[in-house]
Amino acid sequence: MQRIALRERPDWRAQAERLGFAFHTFDGEPYWDESAAYRFSLRQIEEDLEAPTEELHAMSLALVEEVVASEALLERLGVPAFFREHLAASWRRREPHLYGRLDLAYDGQGPAKLLELNYDTPTALYEAAFFQWLWLEQLRLSGELPAAADQFNSIQECLFERFAGLAVQQPLYFASVRDSLEDRGTIDYLRDIATQAGHDARHIAIEDIGLDRTGGFVDLDERHIPTLFKLYPWEFLLEEDFGPRIAGAFTRFIEPPWKAVLSNKGILALLWERHPGHPNLLPAFFDAEPEAILPAGWVRKPLFSREGANIQLHAADGLHLCVPGPYGDAAVRQACHLLPCFAGQHPVIGSWVVGDRACGIGIREDASPITQDSSRFLPHFILD
């Protein structure tokens, strides 16, 4: 694994604008960054990233089966009591899921370590699935990269296959927060794929979804919403005034209620309890447990947090970092495993699963060891 400096395509910004990649720059700072890229060998991809991703995914699904059958485990994860039976029923029905992203620490040498699961509202999808593949194709054509260069990336093809096999009531609505460019870009991308796969795919802002007199979710024209892909966290939905009404509504959600188990950082502690010493896991414990005192360093993560918010890092070498944010007190502590450093930057690998198949990676890096919403996305390629 190497970080390779490369020349930027002179027209990439114009291409991004033309192709709907409106969030390539934030506040004048680049989010998409092709001044460098990460190089991997095929062995590193297949053995150190792809295979462990599928194993960790299978372990996580097996844990859902256990959690939904246990009031004690649902309590430890902080799942609201009014939602527990609905969550369990969605798992028993095996309501279909779409995708997820595992964030891994990996330096090219040892086993990749799972930092967290993003299985409810993962973003960085469009840039991983489409824009970095376009980058690879154009750099091969220009000779900047050899013709033999490849990429671990079949994300878009897998999304199409998943949507094509998704038997849900139509229309299929796609919703996100109105004012988030990144979220809107993500759902527009997914909606386009769903349309190509034969769905009646429609957009709606989360803020425009209402409840009718029967308790059903409706759009602005009072039309029922039979199926809703929502790029909005389950824990946020459950805090809304209509949260207790979700279980009685006829709307089916993607991601389904059972995905709330896997979007919870407590899953890290439960995985470690069941698979202690697994080469791809880090010791992790619920914050209140005695074992959570990790003398070699630890990272404290709220059960519900995103984009690095409210993370506290205490490394064994004395490094202390704390990111402010809005999330609550319930947390896990995970053994500190610092991201590797390449040219002063710390990359985290987002390993994508569509359905149950590992199908690609995206890389974000930051000058800080904690990945945040301002961290940049860099492309990657495979060349032995």
Side-chain angles (χ1 to χ4, degrees):
M1 180 177 173
Q2 299 172 288
R3 188 181 190 275
I4 308 294
L6 293 168
R7 286 180 293 185
E8 294 185 350
R9 294 167 295 165
D11 64 341
W12 76 259
R13 290 173 181 82
Q15 285 194 62
E17 294 288 340
R18 186 171 67 252
L19 294 169
F21 190 5
F23 53 98
H24 61 76
T25 301
F26 284 122
D27 298 325
E29 296 295 324
Y31 166 64
W32 171 267
D33 183 356
E34 58 182 64
S35 64
Y38 283 88
R39 173 178 173 171
F40 297 85
S41 69
L42 184 60
R43 186 206 63 79
Q44 289 172 327
I45 292 292
E46 291 181 342
E47 297 181 12
D48 293 349
L49 297 175
E50 182 179 15
T53 292
E54 294 202 342
E55 182 178 1
L56 290 166
H57 174 73
M59 289 160 52
S60 300
L61 292 187
L63 190 49
V64 176
E65 179 78 28
E66 181 182 354
V67 167
V68 300
S70 168
E71 282 290 321
L73 290 177
L74 290 166
E75 181 71 27
R76 290 176 79 188
L77 293 176
V79 178
F82 71 81
F83 191 60
R84 292 175 187 175
E85 174 51 33
H86 186 58
L87 183 155
S90 80
W91 173 256
R92 291 193 296 266
R93 290 191 295 266
R94 294 301 191 269
E95 290 184 351
H97 62 113
L98 183 62
Y99 70 149
R101 194 189 76 230
L102 294 80
D103 285 349
L104 305 173
Y106 178 66
D107 63 3
Q109 300 299 321
K113 298 293 186 180
L114 177 66
L115 301 177
E116 62 184 57
L117 298 173
N118 294 277
Y119 265 39
D120 183 16
T121 58
T123 53
L125 177 68
Y126 172 87
E127 48 271 43
F130 178 76
F131 206 70
Q132 73 164 338
W133 181 258
L134 179 67
W135 167 88
L136 176 71
E137 288 186 323
Q138 293 183 350
L139 263 65
R140 288 189 302 202
L141 285 173
S142 70
E144 186 75 18
L145 287 177
D150 202 354
Q151 193 173 89
F152 179 33
N153 189 359
S154 60
I155 303 169
Q156 183 162 299
E157 294 89 336
C158 289
L159 285 168
F160 178 86
E161 291 174 7
R162 191 67 175 170
F163 274 120
L166 200 61
V168 295
Q169 283 188 278
Q170 304 294 316
L172 168 55
Y173 285 79
F174 287 78
S176 66
V177 174
R178 179 181 289 109
D179 294 331
S180 172
L181 275 178
E182 182 182 8
D183 288 1
R184 178 63 191 265
T186 300
I187 66 164
D188 282 350
Y189 175 61
L190 287 169
R191 186 164 56 90
D192 182 60
I193 296 174
T195 299
Q196 294 177 44
H199 293 277
D200 178 3
R202 305 180 185 183
H203 171 263
I204 189 169
I206 280 284
E207 296 89 340
D208 291 337
I209 297 174
L211 275 173
D212 67 9
R213 294 175 182 175
T214 69
F217 291 101
V218 294
D219 64 15
L220 287 173
D221 296 318
E222 297 291 321
R223 292 175 299 203
H224 288 157
I225 298 175
T227 310
L228 177 67
F229 175 92
K230 44 84 191 157
L231 198 66
Y232 193 71
W234 269 112
E235 63 268 21
F236 289 3
L237 283 177
L238 299 180
E239 290 175 352
E240 300 281 357
D241 291 341
F242 58 76
R245 307 281 292 277
I246 290 173
F250 50 77
T251 299
R252 290 292 173 260
F253 290 87
I254 305 172
E255 301 292 347
W258 62 262
K259 272 291 191 82
V261 172
L262 297 179
S263 66
N264 186 308
K265 301 294 190 301
I267 202 75
L268 300 170
L270 298 183
L271 282 169
W272 182 255
E273 285 180 6
R274 284 139 188 83
H275 306 279
H278 189 284
N280 299 115
L281 294 176
L282 293 167
F285 306 93
F286 287 93
D287 200 29
E289 296 172 349
E291 298 90 343
I293 300 173
L294 296 160
W298 48 268
V299 180
R300 186 179 187 274
K301 303 177 177 182
L303 297 188
F304 306 107
S305 65
R306 296 165 193 279
E307 301 287 4
N310 295 98
I311 297 294
Q312 298 177 35
L313 184 152
H314 288 244
D317 63 4
L319 174 66
H320 291 183
L321 296 173
C322 183
V323 179
Y327 298 103
D329 292 333
V332 296
R333 294 198 191 203
Q334 186 182 55
C336 183
H337 183 90
L338 291 174
L339 293 172
C341 187
F342 292 82
Q345 301 297 321
H346 302 274
V348 64
I349 295 177
S351 187
W352 289 93
V353 174
V354 175
D356 299 310
R357 177 182 169 190
C359 55
I361 61 171
I363 300 171
R364 295 183 69 190
E365 67 171 26
D366 201 290
S368 166
I370 299 177
T371 308
Q372 303 177 57
D373 58 358
S374 58
S375 301
R376 296 174 308 283
F377 187 103
L378 272 72
H380 79 279
F381 63 96
I382 302 169
L383 194 62
D384 283 318

